[in-house]
Amino acid sequence: MMEAEQMTRGQLEAEFSALARTMYFTGSTVAAFAKGATRGQLAAVCDLIRSENATREENKRARLLKRAKFPAVKSVEGFDFTEVSMPDGYTVDDMLSLGFVEAAQDFVFYGGCGRGKTHLSIALGVLATERGYRVRYFETASLVLALKDAVADNRLESALKDIAKTDLLIIDEYGYIPIDIEGARLLYQVMSATYEARSMIVTTNIEFGKWGTVLGDAHLATATVDRIMHHGRLVEFGGQSRRFEEALVMGRSEG
């Protein structure tokens, strides 16, 4: 191997790049370098490591956001909580702290269509990925279909393990379409597996007493609600449909 003094600048840069990709520094190596390095060398290496750590964090957030499979990226910035009724003793700031994810607690976002349930669930999911949590988003119908396909392909166990890797599971539009008994049992399997293991947000326009009509099985519905509410909170979304209001605004602007 050539001595550093014999290398051109380009050769040194190439070797440095190759070596840097192979290294995880031991404590003894770090101590030896720190002892013999000049102040300028120490400062340069500190800058290098800070830059690398920042890049790794940025790449990690990008990977987490991609894996979450959100239909769109939403933000909590500017979200209007005026018509959102939080549980007693629980605040919006409590929700935005994401303590519920760390505690493996659940939310049910309940209200009519267009009230902002999906927006807020996705915005919280995006915020969670920014803070390093693993998130997965599913529309209920798509999740049931994916589970059925997994059963047909004899890979249900793998699909369930993939979902189980999350810190926060978002199941959107629960109850918007009926589910047959096979789909209901598969959905129950996913939802019950989150119990005390990870956090879950369910958005729905169906009150708890009618979940049995969605699942086609009163016992499954009761067991599902029982698990969710044991470590969960109900958040109610009122007011007019946001989509309807925006359509009216557009209409006025065109008139």
Side-chain angles (χ1 to χ4, degrees), residues 85-114:
S85 299
M86 304 296 292
D88 290 342
Y90 194 82
T91 68
V92 170
D93 287 340
D94 291 331
M95 175 186 285
L96 298 183
S97 75
L98 299 185
F100 69 93
V101 179
E102 193 68 30
Q105 296 172 345
D106 304 323
F107 281 110
V108 173
F109 289 175
Y110 168 73
C113 296

Side-chain angles (χ1 to χ4, degrees), residues 77-182:
E77 294 296 327
F79 186 85
D80 185 3
F81 286 92
T82 304
E83 299 292 343
V84 179
S85 299
M86 304 296 292
D88 290 342
Y90 194 82
T91 68
V92 170
D93 287 340
D94 291 331
M95 175 186 285
L96 298 183
S97 75
L98 299 185
F100 69 93
V101 179
E102 193 68 30
Q105 296 172 345
D106 304 323
F107 281 110
V108 173
F109 289 175
Y110 168 73
C113 296
R115 267 63 175 185
K117 305 184 299 298
T118 295
H119 182 125
L120 184 57
S121 68
I122 292 175
L124 289 171
V126 171
L127 185 61
T129 64
E130 291 174 352
R131 298 185 188 177
Y133 291 109
R134 298 164 298 179
V135 183
R136 280 300 303 274
Y137 168 92
F138 293 96
E139 290 182 354
T140 303
S142 297
L143 174 57
V144 170
L145 181 60
L147 293 171
K148 285 185 173 183
D149 287 344
V151 170
D153 296 339
N154 196 31
R155 53 179 177 80
L156 178 62
E157 183 178 357
S158 175
L160 293 175
K161 284 182 178 179
D162 181 59
I163 295 172
K165 293 176 183 177
T166 61
D167 300 303
L168 171 61
L169 176 64
I170 300 172
I171 300 180
D172 194 19
E173 297 184 349
Y174 175 85
Y176 282 42
I177 63 172
I179 304 171
D180 62 24
I181 191 62
E182 179 192 4

